[in-house]
Amino acid sequence: MKVLVGVKRVVDFNTRIQVKSDGSGVQTDGVKFSMNPFDEIAVEEAIRLKEAGLATEVIAVSIGGDKNQDTLRSALAMGADSALLVKTDDEIQPLMAAKILKNLVEQQQPKLVLLGKQAIDDDANQTPQMLAGLLGWPQATFASKLEIDGDTAAVTREVDAGLETLSVDLPAVVSSDLRLNEPRYIKLPDIMKAKRKPLEVIDLADLNIAASASIATLKTSAPPQRQAGIKVESSEALVAELKARNLV
Amino acid sequence: MNKILVIAEHANGVLNSSTARAVACAAAIGGEITVAVLTTGSCDVAAQAAGLEGVVSVAELTNPGNAQALAALQAPQLLEISAGYTHVLAPNSTFGKDLMPRLAALLDRPMVTDIMAVQDARTFDRPVYAGNAITTVQVDDDGLVLATVRGASWPPVVQTQAPVTVECQTSDIDLPAHTRFVALDGEQGDRPDLQAAEKVISGGRGLGAAEHFALVEAVADKLGAAVGASRAAVDSGWVPNDLQVGQTGKIIAPDLYIAAGISGAIQHLAGIKDAGTIVAINKDPDAPIFEVADIGLVADLHEVLPALTEML
Ligand SMILES: Cc1cc2nc3c(=O)[nH]c(=O)nc-3n(C[C@H](O)[C@H](O)[C@H](O)COP(=O)(O)OP(=O)(O)OC[C@H]3O[C@@H](n4cnc5c(N)ncnc54)[C@H](O)[C@@H]3O)c2cc1C
């Protein structure tokens, strides 16, 4: 079973986000970038499937500029077998990303596509579902547990009401939630090994995918900031304050 | 004139309040609002939707495949009826997040996630970077607008009006058999629903152990509050996942939010930005939660929570 896993390069989750004063976006100069945490979990899951003898090959794919090669090298260091970068300097929105991934799926014929449930930059939470829709495949989003059994997968999903389990036929698209696993720590020898693994770069233009309708971003602004209020000294004072404000 | 279709979220014969929140957003867009209710045939939910303020019609689609809300089965049914609308909206709950992008892909349309404000019928504000920036986005062609609605930004419309007519349609399209519901493991406790509650008290890693969550629950029961948790508390296995508040959990806007033993990581704060009053109980005076708390108490929660239970 071949597994395709998508990785996006995003502003590191520990970064304090600064909105540019001209409203054109958030500050990315001199900011640390990392693999989207949800994608890291997807890569980890794919590698665990391989280690368990359920997957034969793990291909990591990314869409974006040359710097995404670093992100793909991280996926290779974690244990992916090969990597594929679809190179473009354009902003790629979820519908287009899904179309690109569909194209790669048709070329690579994986039985499972693992993607992070959302990227922590645009927080869109769309690409996995769109890809599944375009392919006409089952989707199991927000997965916290994945069990492959022959041609089906049992997936536990984190939904608002609790944990939902679905059974889906393979091939399928699964999107990872935080509790699916804890990604491994990359060790130095793995980074050295990753340098020798194949990383192919294809130009987006060569895939001949027609442009999709997209959504225009008119401006980016800072959210209203909450201000620190008062400090109280004791539980009694807290209760008194809550009563004074008619909150209890 | 805009024609807006709002997809209803419901379970066990009850309309979820997220639907009334999405209708509130539809009303801000302005136009004729229809609610689509996908069921196996019982009309209870459609009747509830028919009473929502501002709704002009309810389209009930019945199909045996609607026993559970599975995106792969519901998207094709919605594809059938989407033509003729200018907007299709759904709540940004796990239900809407799962369904809407799939429908958008079938329609070959882009989609707006998480509308928090309406600028005009095609221009919306939405949060990015866990709510640390807000983008104003525009669907700048004349095609169908598809979006999910951020519940915490839209107080639900009320259930007042005399019910409008419900049009029943049986959907006889072939639905895929590749996706099957197996089970839902969720606790239906007596406490109020986290997303609808006016008061919420959450516990974090500072509680130290699963059994200490009882301290939070005792205060919750005194206040009639819902119980929430930080990711650290959920990851530790102290409470189920559906209690998680934050970027990847629930985004809530109660009148009162009490955080006990929660440091205030940006991902957690993303879930409570719209709360009325935030109270923080933390023994570390430098915990970032105090930067956003309206009322802060630097103290050990093991003393404070029992005292609150006593006094409230
Ligand atoms: C992609 C991503 C998404 C995430 N999504 C979420 C999310 O949705 N929700 C979420 O909550 N987190 C989320 N996180 C995790 C987040 O970054 C924090 O790790 C998490 O919120 C920390 O939980 P906590 O505050 O309970 O624990 P800690 O940060 O460990 O804080 C514990 C606090 O308890 C205090 N404390 C300890 N003992 C006591 C005591 N006896 N009395 C009083 N106070 C005490 C400490 O001073 C400390 O401030 C996400 C992280 C990532 C990377």
Side-chain angles (χ1 to χ4, degrees), chain A residues 79-139:
Chain A
D81 297 296
S82 63
L84 203 66
L85 171 62
V86 177
K87 217 188 119 186
T88 171
D89 291 324
D90 297 343
E91 184 213 343
I92 298 296
Q93 296 187 1
L95 183 59
M96 189 61 182
K99 288 183 181 176
I100 295 168
L101 290 170
K102 175 174 183 263
N103 184 295
L104 300 181
V105 165
E106 282 159 358
Q107 287 178 40
Q108 302 287 339
Q109 303 282 322
K111 249 176 103 173
L112 179 66
V113 178
L114 273 164
L115 303 171
K117 78 163 179 182
Q118 75 193 71
I120 60 162
D121 49 5
D122 62 16
D123 282 331
N125 199 329
Q126 296 181 7
T127 307
Q129 298 88 311
M130 285 181 162
L131 174 62
L134 293 175
L135 289 165
W137 286 11
Q139 70 188 45

Short mmCIF file of all heavy atoms in Angstrom, two decimals, chain A residues 79-139:
data_model
loop_
_atom_site.label_atom_id
_atom_site.label_comp_id
_atom_site.label_asym_id
_atom_site.label_seq_id
_atom_site.Cartn_x
_atom_site.Cartn_y
_atom_site.Cartn_z
N GLY A 79 11.22 9.76 8.01
CA GLY A 79 11.13 8.39 7.51
C GLY A 79 10.39 8.20 6.20
O GLY A 79 10.23 7.07 5.74
N ALA A 80 9.93 9.29 5.58
CA ALA A 80 9.30 9.15 4.26
C ALA A 80 10.35 8.63 3.28
O ALA A 80 11.55 8.87 3.45
CB ALA A 80 8.73 10.48 3.80
N ASP A 81 9.90 7.88 2.26
CA ASP A 81 10.84 7.28 1.32
C ASP A 81 11.29 8.24 0.23
O ASP A 81 12.44 8.21 -0.20
CB ASP A 81 10.20 6.04 0.66
CG ASP A 81 9.88 4.99 1.69
OD1 ASP A 81 10.83 4.46 2.30
OD2 ASP A 81 8.68 4.71 1.90
N SER A 82 10.36 9.05 -0.26
CA SER A 82 10.72 9.97 -1.32
C SER A 82 9.84 11.21 -1.19
O SER A 82 8.85 11.21 -0.45
CB SER A 82 10.52 9.33 -2.69
OG SER A 82 9.15 9.01 -2.88
N ALA A 83 10.24 12.25 -1.93
CA ALA A 83 9.51 13.51 -1.80
C ALA A 83 9.32 14.14 -3.16
O ALA A 83 10.09 13.90 -4.10
CB ALA A 83 10.27 14.46 -0.88
N LEU A 84 8.26 14.94 -3.23
CA LEU A 84 7.87 15.56 -4.49
C LEU A 84 7.47 17.00 -4.18
O LEU A 84 6.61 17.24 -3.36
CB LEU A 84 6.65 14.81 -4.99
CG LEU A 84 6.29 14.82 -6.45
CD1 LEU A 84 7.35 14.10 -7.25
CD2 LEU A 84 4.95 14.09 -6.64
N LEU A 85 8.12 17.94 -4.85
CA LEU A 85 7.73 19.35 -4.67
C LEU A 85 7.09 19.86 -5.95
O LEU A 85 7.68 19.77 -7.03
CB LEU A 85 8.97 20.21 -4.34
CG LEU A 85 8.73 21.73 -4.34
CD1 LEU A 85 7.71 22.13 -3.29
CD2 LEU A 85 10.04 22.48 -4.12
N VAL A 86 5.89 20.35 -5.84
CA VAL A 86 5.25 21.03 -6.97
C VAL A 86 5.56 22.50 -6.79
O VAL A 86 5.08 23.15 -5.87
CB VAL A 86 3.73 20.77 -6.99
CG1 VAL A 86 3.08 21.55 -8.14
CG2 VAL A 86 3.45 19.29 -7.13
N LYS A 87 6.43 22.98 -7.69
CA LYS A 87 7.01 24.31 -7.48
C LYS A 87 6.14 25.41 -8.07
O LYS A 87 5.72 25.36 -9.22
CB LYS A 87 8.40 24.37 -8.10
CG LYS A 87 9.36 25.18 -7.27
CD LYS A 87 10.66 25.41 -7.96
CE LYS A 87 10.80 26.89 -8.12
NZ LYS A 87 11.91 27.31 -8.88
N THR A 88 5.86 26.40 -7.22
CA THR A 88 5.14 27.58 -7.67
C THR A 88 5.39 28.71 -6.68
O THR A 88 5.55 28.46 -5.49
CB THR A 88 3.62 27.32 -7.78
OG1 THR A 88 2.98 28.58 -8.02
CG2 THR A 88 3.05 26.72 -6.51
N ASP A 89 5.44 29.91 -7.18
CA ASP A 89 5.57 31.05 -6.27
C ASP A 89 4.22 31.73 -6.06
O ASP A 89 4.11 32.72 -5.34
CB ASP A 89 6.61 32.05 -6.80
CG ASP A 89 8.01 31.46 -6.71
OD1 ASP A 89 8.27 30.73 -5.73
OD2 ASP A 89 8.82 31.67 -7.64
N ASP A 90 3.17 31.20 -6.71
CA ASP A 90 1.85 31.78 -6.54
C ASP A 90 1.25 31.37 -5.19
O ASP A 90 1.62 30.35 -4.62
CB ASP A 90 0.89 31.27 -7.63
CG ASP A 90 1.36 31.69 -9.01
OD1 ASP A 90 2.20 32.62 -9.08
OD2 ASP A 90 0.90 31.08 -9.99
N GLU A 91 0.29 32.16 -4.73
CA GLU A 91 -0.48 31.77 -3.55
C GLU A 91 -1.40 30.63 -3.99
O GLU A 91 -2.13 30.76 -4.97
CB GLU A 91 -1.32 32.96 -3.07
CG GLU A 91 -2.08 32.67 -1.79
CD GLU A 91 -3.42 33.38 -1.68
OE1 GLU A 91 -3.67 34.36 -2.41
OE2 GLU A 91 -4.23 32.92 -0.85
N ILE A 92 -1.34 29.52 -3.27
CA ILE A 92 -2.19 28.38 -3.63
C ILE A 92 -3.29 28.24 -2.59
O ILE A 92 -3.03 27.98 -1.42
CB ILE A 92 -1.35 27.08 -3.71
CG1 ILE A 92 -0.28 27.21 -4.81
CG2 ILE A 92 -2.25 25.87 -3.98
CD1 ILE A 92 -0.82 27.35 -6.21
N GLN A 93 -4.53 28.40 -3.03
CA GLN A 93 -5.66 28.25 -2.12
C GLN A 93 -6.13 26.79 -2.11
O GLN A 93 -5.78 26.02 -2.99
CB GLN A 93 -6.78 29.20 -2.55
CG GLN A 93 -6.34 30.67 -2.42
CD GLN A 93 -7.46 31.66 -2.69
OE1 GLN A 93 -8.59 31.28 -2.95
NE2 GLN A 93 -7.13 32.94 -2.62
N PRO A 94 -6.95 26.43 -1.10
CA PRO A 94 -7.31 25.02 -0.93
C PRO A 94 -7.86 24.32 -2.19
O PRO A 94 -7.46 23.18 -2.48
CB PRO A 94 -8.36 25.07 0.17
CG PRO A 94 -7.94 26.24 1.00
CD PRO A 94 -7.43 27.26 0.03
N LEU A 95 -8.74 24.97 -2.95
CA LEU A 95 -9.31 24.29 -4.12
C LEU A 95 -8.22 23.94 -5.12
O LEU A 95 -8.20 22.84 -5.68
CB LEU A 95 -10.40 25.17 -4.76
CG LEU A 95 -11.14 24.56 -5.95
CD1 LEU A 95 -11.83 23.25 -5.57
CD2 LEU A 95 -12.16 25.54 -6.53
N MET A 96 -7.31 24.86 -5.33
CA MET A 96 -6.21 24.60 -6.26
C MET A 96 -5.28 23.54 -5.68
O MET A 96 -4.83 22.64 -6.41
CB MET A 96 -5.46 25.92 -6.52
CG MET A 96 -4.42 25.82 -7.61
SD MET A 96 -5.19 25.39 -9.21
CE MET A 96 -3.72 25.32 -10.23
N ALA A 97 -4.98 23.62 -4.38
CA ALA A 97 -4.13 22.61 -3.74
C ALA A 97 -4.75 21.23 -3.93
O ALA A 97 -4.05 20.25 -4.24
CB ALA A 97 -3.96 22.92 -2.26
N ALA A 98 -6.07 21.16 -3.78
CA ALA A 98 -6.75 19.86 -3.93
C ALA A 98 -6.63 19.36 -5.37
O ALA A 98 -6.45 18.17 -5.60
CB ALA A 98 -8.22 20.00 -3.52
N LYS A 99 -6.70 20.27 -6.33
CA LYS A 99 -6.58 19.85 -7.73
C LYS A 99 -5.16 19.35 -8.04
O LYS A 99 -4.98 18.40 -8.80
CB LYS A 99 -6.96 21.00 -8.66
CG LYS A 99 -8.46 21.27 -8.65
CD LYS A 99 -8.84 22.36 -9.62
CE LYS A 99 -10.36 22.60 -9.54
NZ LYS A 99 -10.78 23.72 -10.41
N ILE A 100 -4.18 20.02 -7.45
CA ILE A 100 -2.79 19.58 -7.65
C ILE A 100 -2.59 18.20 -7.03
O ILE A 100 -2.04 17.30 -7.65
CB ILE A 100 -1.81 20.61 -7.03
CG1 ILE A 100 -1.92 21.95 -7.78
CG2 ILE A 100 -0.38 20.08 -7.06
CD1 ILE A 100 -1.23 23.11 -7.09
N LEU A 101 -3.10 18.04 -5.81
CA LEU A 101 -2.96 16.74 -5.14
C LEU A 101 -3.69 15.65 -5.92
O LEU A 101 -3.21 14.52 -6.02
CB LEU A 101 -3.49 16.82 -3.70
CG LEU A 101 -2.63 17.67 -2.75
CD1 LEU A 101 -3.35 17.89 -1.41
CD2 LEU A 101 -1.28 17.01 -2.50
N LYS A 102 -4.83 15.99 -6.49
CA LYS A 102 -5.58 15.01 -7.29
C LYS A 102 -4.71 14.53 -8.46
O LYS A 102 -4.64 13.34 -8.75
CB LYS A 102 -6.87 15.64 -7.81
CG LYS A 102 -7.66 14.73 -8.75
CD LYS A 102 -9.00 15.35 -9.11
CE LYS A 102 -9.83 14.43 -9.97
NZ LYS A 102 -9.73 14.72 -11.40
N ASN A 103 -4.06 15.50 -9.09
CA ASN A 103 -3.18 15.16 -10.21
C ASN A 103 -2.07 14.20 -9.75
O ASN A 103 -1.78 13.20 -10.41
CB ASN A 103 -2.59 16.48 -10.75
CG ASN A 103 -1.73 16.28 -11.97
OD1 ASN A 103 -0.68 15.64 -11.89
ND2 ASN A 103 -2.15 16.84 -13.10
N LEU A 104 -1.48 14.46 -8.60
CA LEU A 104 -0.41 13.60 -8.08
C LEU A 104 -0.96 12.23 -7.71
O LEU A 104 -0.30 11.21 -7.92
CB LEU A 104 0.26 14.24 -6.87
CG LEU A 104 0.92 15.61 -7.11
CD1 LEU A 104 1.58 16.11 -5.84
CD2 LEU A 104 1.94 15.53 -8.24
N VAL A 105 -2.17 12.21 -7.16
CA VAL A 105 -2.79 10.93 -6.80
C VAL A 105 -2.99 10.09 -8.06
O VAL A 105 -2.73 8.88 -8.07
CB VAL A 105 -4.15 11.17 -6.08
CG1 VAL A 105 -4.99 9.89 -6.03
CG2 VAL A 105 -3.90 11.71 -4.67
N GLU A 106 -3.42 10.73 -9.14
CA GLU A 106 -3.63 9.98 -10.37
C GLU A 106 -2.31 9.42 -10.91
O GLU A 106 -2.27 8.31 -11.44
CB GLU A 106 -4.33 10.86 -11.41
CG GLU A 106 -5.82 10.97 -11.10
CD GLU A 106 -6.52 12.18 -11.72
OE1 GLU A 106 -5.83 13.00 -12.38
OE2 GLU A 106 -7.74 12.32 -11.52
N GLN A 107 -1.24 10.17 -10.72
CA GLN A 107 0.07 9.66 -11.17
C GLN A 107 0.60 8.56 -10.27
O GLN A 107 1.12 7.57 -10.73
CB GLN A 107 1.10 10.79 -11.15
CG GLN A 107 0.93 11.81 -12.24
CD GLN A 107 1.99 12.91 -12.09
OE1 GLN A 107 3.14 12.63 -11.78
NE2 GLN A 107 1.58 14.14 -12.31
N GLN A 108 0.46 8.76 -8.95
CA GLN A 108 1.13 7.88 -7.98
C GLN A 108 0.26 6.70 -7.53
O GLN A 108 0.78 5.73 -7.00
CB GLN A 108 1.55 8.67 -6.74
CG GLN A 108 2.48 9.84 -7.03
CD GLN A 108 3.89 9.38 -7.37
OE1 GLN A 108 4.28 8.27 -7.03
NE2 GLN A 108 4.64 10.23 -8.06
N GLN A 109 -1.04 6.81 -7.71
CA GLN A 109 -1.97 5.74 -7.33
C GLN A 109 -1.82 5.24 -5.89
O GLN A 109 -1.72 4.04 -5.65
CB GLN A 109 -1.79 4.54 -8.28
CG GLN A 109 -1.99 4.87 -9.75
CD GLN A 109 -3.47 4.97 -10.11
OE1 GLN A 109 -4.29 4.21 -9.62
NE2 GLN A 109 -3.80 5.92 -10.95
N PRO A 110 -1.79 6.15 -4.91
CA PRO A 110 -1.73 5.67 -3.52
C PRO A 110 -3.08 5.09 -3.10
O PRO A 110 -4.10 5.40 -3.70
CB PRO A 110 -1.45 6.95 -2.73
CG PRO A 110 -2.08 8.03 -3.55
CD PRO A 110 -1.92 7.62 -4.99
N LYS A 111 -3.05 4.26 -2.04
CA LYS A 111 -4.32 3.73 -1.52
C LYS A 111 -4.80 4.57 -0.35
O LYS A 111 -5.93 4.43 0.11
CB LYS A 111 -4.13 2.29 -1.05
CG LYS A 111 -4.88 1.29 -1.95
CD LYS A 111 -4.60 -0.10 -1.52
CE LYS A 111 -5.74 -0.71 -0.75
NZ LYS A 111 -5.52 -2.14 -0.48
N LEU A 112 -3.92 5.44 0.12
CA LEU A 112 -4.27 6.29 1.25
C LEU A 112 -3.58 7.64 1.08
O LEU A 112 -2.40 7.68 0.75
CB LEU A 112 -3.81 5.62 2.55
CG LEU A 112 -4.08 6.37 3.86
CD1 LEU A 112 -5.56 6.48 4.14
CD2 LEU A 112 -3.38 5.66 5.03
N VAL A 113 -4.36 8.71 1.28
CA VAL A 113 -3.76 10.05 1.33
C VAL A 113 -3.97 10.58 2.74
O VAL A 113 -5.09 10.61 3.25
CB VAL A 113 -4.41 11.02 0.31
CG1 VAL A 113 -3.79 12.41 0.43
CG2 VAL A 113 -4.25 10.49 -1.11
N LEU A 114 -2.87 10.94 3.38
CA LEU A 114 -2.93 11.49 4.74
C LEU A 114 -2.54 12.96 4.68
O LEU A 114 -1.48 13.32 4.17
CB LEU A 114 -1.93 10.76 5.64
CG LEU A 114 -2.40 9.49 6.32
CD1 LEU A 114 -1.22 8.68 6.84
CD2 LEU A 114 -3.31 9.83 7.50
N LEU A 115 -3.42 13.82 5.21
CA LEU A 115 -3.16 15.26 5.23
C LEU A 115 -3.49 15.79 6.61
O LEU A 115 -4.31 15.22 7.33
CB LEU A 115 -4.04 15.98 4.19
CG LEU A 115 -3.94 15.53 2.73
CD1 LEU A 115 -5.04 16.20 1.91
CD2 LEU A 115 -2.59 15.84 2.14
N GLY A 116 -2.86 16.90 6.98
CA GLY A 116 -3.23 17.57 8.23
C GLY A 116 -4.63 18.14 8.10
O GLY A 116 -5.05 18.54 7.02
N LYS A 117 -5.39 18.19 9.20
CA LYS A 117 -6.78 18.65 9.07
C LYS A 117 -6.86 20.13 8.72
O LYS A 117 -7.82 20.58 8.10
CB LYS A 117 -7.59 18.35 10.33
CG LYS A 117 -7.35 19.30 11.50
CD LYS A 117 -8.48 19.18 12.53
CE LYS A 117 -8.22 20.12 13.69
NZ LYS A 117 -9.23 20.04 14.74
N GLN A 118 -5.87 20.91 9.13
CA GLN A 118 -5.87 22.32 8.75
C GLN A 118 -4.44 22.82 8.81
O GLN A 118 -3.60 22.23 9.48
CB GLN A 118 -6.78 23.16 9.65
CG GLN A 118 -6.23 23.45 11.04
CD GLN A 118 -7.30 24.00 11.97
OE1 GLN A 118 -8.20 23.28 12.39
NE2 GLN A 118 -7.22 25.27 12.30
N ALA A 119 -4.16 23.88 8.09
CA ALA A 119 -2.85 24.52 8.20
C ALA A 119 -3.01 25.65 9.20
O ALA A 119 -4.02 26.35 9.19
CB ALA A 119 -2.40 25.05 6.85
N ILE A 120 -2.01 25.85 10.04
CA ILE A 120 -2.17 26.83 11.12
C ILE A 120 -1.90 28.25 10.64
O ILE A 120 -1.90 29.18 11.45
CB ILE A 120 -1.29 26.49 12.34
CG1 ILE A 120 0.20 26.47 11.96
CG2 ILE A 120 -1.71 25.17 12.95
CD1 ILE A 120 1.11 26.57 13.17
N ASP A 121 -1.71 28.46 9.33
CA ASP A 121 -1.63 29.84 8.84
C ASP A 121 -3.02 30.31 8.40
O ASP A 121 -3.61 31.19 9.01
CB ASP A 121 -0.57 30.01 7.74
CG ASP A 121 -0.65 28.98 6.62
OD1 ASP A 121 -1.60 28.15 6.62
OD2 ASP A 121 0.21 29.01 5.73
N ASP A 122 -3.59 29.67 7.37
CA ASP A 122 -4.91 30.13 6.92
C ASP A 122 -6.07 29.49 7.70
O ASP A 122 -7.22 29.90 7.55
CB ASP A 122 -5.09 29.95 5.40
CG ASP A 122 -5.02 28.50 4.96
OD1 ASP A 122 -5.13 27.60 5.82
OD2 ASP A 122 -4.85 28.26 3.76
N ASP A 123 -5.77 28.46 8.49
CA ASP A 123 -6.81 27.77 9.28
C ASP A 123 -8.04 27.40 8.44
O ASP A 123 -9.16 27.40 8.95
CB ASP A 123 -7.26 28.63 10.49
CG ASP A 123 -6.25 28.58 11.64
OD1 ASP A 123 -5.56 27.56 11.79
OD2 ASP A 123 -6.18 29.56 12.40
N ALA A 124 -7.81 27.06 7.16
CA ALA A 124 -8.96 26.86 6.27
C ALA A 124 -9.69 25.54 6.51
O ALA A 124 -10.90 25.48 6.46
CB ALA A 124 -8.52 26.96 4.81
N ASN A 125 -8.94 24.47 6.76
CA ASN A 125 -9.60 23.18 6.99
C ASN A 125 -10.46 22.78 5.79
O ASN A 125 -11.65 22.48 5.93
CB ASN A 125 -10.44 23.27 8.27
CG ASN A 125 -10.78 21.90 8.84
OD1 ASN A 125 -10.92 20.94 8.08
ND2 ASN A 125 -10.90 21.80 10.12
N GLN A 126 -9.88 22.80 4.60
CA GLN A 126 -10.65 22.49 3.39
C GLN A 126 -10.00 21.46 2.48
O GLN A 126 -10.71 20.66 1.86
CB GLN A 126 -10.83 23.78 2.55
CG GLN A 126 -11.64 24.87 3.22
CD GLN A 126 -11.78 26.10 2.33
OE1 GLN A 126 -11.39 26.10 1.16
NE2 GLN A 126 -12.34 27.17 2.86
N THR A 127 -8.68 21.50 2.35
CA THR A 127 -8.02 20.73 1.29
C THR A 127 -8.32 19.23 1.32
O THR A 127 -8.62 18.66 0.27
CB THR A 127 -6.50 21.01 1.31
OG1 THR A 127 -6.30 22.43 1.25
CG2 THR A 127 -5.80 20.34 0.14
N PRO A 128 -8.27 18.57 2.49
CA PRO A 128 -8.53 17.12 2.46
C PRO A 128 -9.94 16.79 1.94
O PRO A 128 -10.10 15.89 1.11
CB PRO A 128 -8.37 16.70 3.93
CG PRO A 128 -7.55 17.78 4.56
CD PRO A 128 -7.90 19.04 3.83
N GLN A 129 -10.93 17.54 2.44
CA GLN A 129 -12.30 17.27 2.03
C GLN A 129 -12.49 17.56 0.54
O GLN A 129 -13.20 16.84 -0.16
CB GLN A 129 -13.28 18.14 2.82
CG GLN A 129 -13.30 17.92 4.34
CD GLN A 129 -12.28 18.77 5.07
OE1 GLN A 129 -11.11 18.81 4.70
NE2 GLN A 129 -12.70 19.44 6.13
N MET A 130 -11.84 18.63 0.06
CA MET A 130 -11.96 18.96 -1.36
C MET A 130 -11.31 17.88 -2.22
O MET A 130 -11.87 17.47 -3.24
CB MET A 130 -11.30 20.31 -1.64
CG MET A 130 -12.15 21.49 -1.14
SD MET A 130 -11.38 23.06 -1.52
CE MET A 130 -12.80 24.16 -1.36
N LEU A 131 -10.14 17.42 -1.78
CA LEU A 131 -9.47 16.35 -2.54
C LEU A 131 -10.35 15.11 -2.60
O LEU A 131 -10.55 14.52 -3.67
CB LEU A 131 -8.11 16.03 -1.89
CG LEU A 131 -7.37 14.85 -2.50
CD1 LEU A 131 -7.01 15.11 -3.97
CD2 LEU A 131 -6.10 14.51 -1.70
N ALA A 132 -10.90 14.72 -1.46
CA ALA A 132 -11.77 13.53 -1.43
C ALA A 132 -12.97 13.73 -2.35
O ALA A 132 -13.36 12.82 -3.09
CB ALA A 132 -12.23 13.25 0.00
N GLY A 133 -13.54 14.94 -2.34
CA GLY A 133 -14.69 15.24 -3.20
C GLY A 133 -14.32 15.14 -4.67
O GLY A 133 -15.05 14.55 -5.47
N LEU A 134 -13.17 15.71 -5.04
CA LEU A 134 -12.75 15.68 -6.45
C LEU A 134 -12.49 14.25 -6.91
O LEU A 134 -12.76 13.90 -8.06
CB LEU A 134 -11.47 16.52 -6.64
CG LEU A 134 -11.60 18.04 -6.43
CD1 LEU A 134 -10.23 18.70 -6.54
CD2 LEU A 134 -12.57 18.65 -7.44
N LEU A 135 -11.92 13.43 -6.01
CA LEU A 135 -11.60 12.05 -6.39
C LEU A 135 -12.82 11.13 -6.28
O LEU A 135 -12.79 10.02 -6.81
CB LEU A 135 -10.50 11.51 -5.47
CG LEU A 135 -9.08 12.07 -5.65
CD1 LEU A 135 -8.21 11.71 -4.44
CD2 LEU A 135 -8.44 11.55 -6.93
N GLY A 136 -13.85 11.59 -5.57
CA GLY A 136 -14.99 10.71 -5.30
C GLY A 136 -14.63 9.63 -4.30
O GLY A 136 -15.23 8.56 -4.26
N TRP A 137 -13.62 9.91 -3.47
CA TRP A 137 -13.17 8.94 -2.46
C TRP A 137 -13.86 9.21 -1.13
O TRP A 137 -14.32 10.32 -0.87
CB TRP A 137 -11.66 9.08 -2.23
CG TRP A 137 -10.79 8.55 -3.32
CD1 TRP A 137 -11.16 8.16 -4.58
CD2 TRP A 137 -9.36 8.39 -3.24
NE1 TRP A 137 -10.04 7.77 -5.28
CE2 TRP A 137 -8.94 7.90 -4.49
CE3 TRP A 137 -8.41 8.63 -2.25
CZ2 TRP A 137 -7.59 7.62 -4.77
CZ3 TRP A 137 -7.08 8.36 -2.51
CH2 TRP A 137 -6.67 7.85 -3.76
N PRO A 138 -13.85 8.21 -0.23
CA PRO A 138 -14.31 8.47 1.13
C PRO A 138 -13.37 9.47 1.81
O PRO A 138 -12.20 9.57 1.44
CB PRO A 138 -14.18 7.11 1.82
CG PRO A 138 -14.00 6.11 0.76
CD PRO A 138 -13.44 6.80 -0.43
N GLN A 139 -13.90 10.19 2.79
CA GLN A 139 -13.05 11.06 3.60
C GLN A 139 -13.31 10.75 5.06
O GLN A 139 -14.44 10.46 5.45
CB GLN A 139 -13.37 12.53 3.31
CG GLN A 139 -14.73 13.01 3.81
CD GLN A 139 -15.05 14.42 3.32
OE1 GLN A 139 -14.86 14.74 2.15
NE2 GLN A 139 -15.56 15.25 4.22
#
